[in-house]
Amino acid sequence: MISFCLAVSLSYELPEWGVAVAAVEAADAFLGTEGDLGDTKTDMFMCLIGAMTALLTLNGMHDRALTDSRN
């Protein structure tokens, strides 16, 4: 689950990072990074935190739903 979320995030963030590196001034206007070259890293880290939080908080509910559906 975490790997999937990070892969989806990476599929967006990698091209965004490429644009930021290739055209620094144009990237600010296009991407809205506001001069923060670490924006993509922060976004990926927040994706990781969100995926881990969802996994930890929803795991029990998911297990109960699977158990109930088998009975």
Side-chain angles (χ1 to χ4, degrees):
M1 175 66 170
I2 292 173
S3 297
F4 176 77
C5 291
L6 287 175
V8 170
S9 179
L10 180 66
S11 69
Y12 178 80
E13 297 298 336
L14 196 58
E16 182 180 297
W17 172 78
V19 169
V21 169
V24 175
E25 292 177 17
D28 289 342
F30 179 69
L31 300 173
T33 59
E34 299 171 359
D36 181 15
L37 293 178
D39 180 61
T40 56
K41 294 177 215 163
T42 303
D43 291 347
M44 295 251 337
F45 180 69
M46 290 299 152
C47 175
L48 174 65
I49 297 297
M52 288 173 38
T53 302
L55 190 61
L56 292 172
T57 59
L58 300 176
N59 190 33
M61 185 185 342
H62 181 254
D63 289 346
R64 283 190 299 279
L66 287 176
T67 302
D68 291 344
S69 69
R70 291 181 187 154
N71 294 333

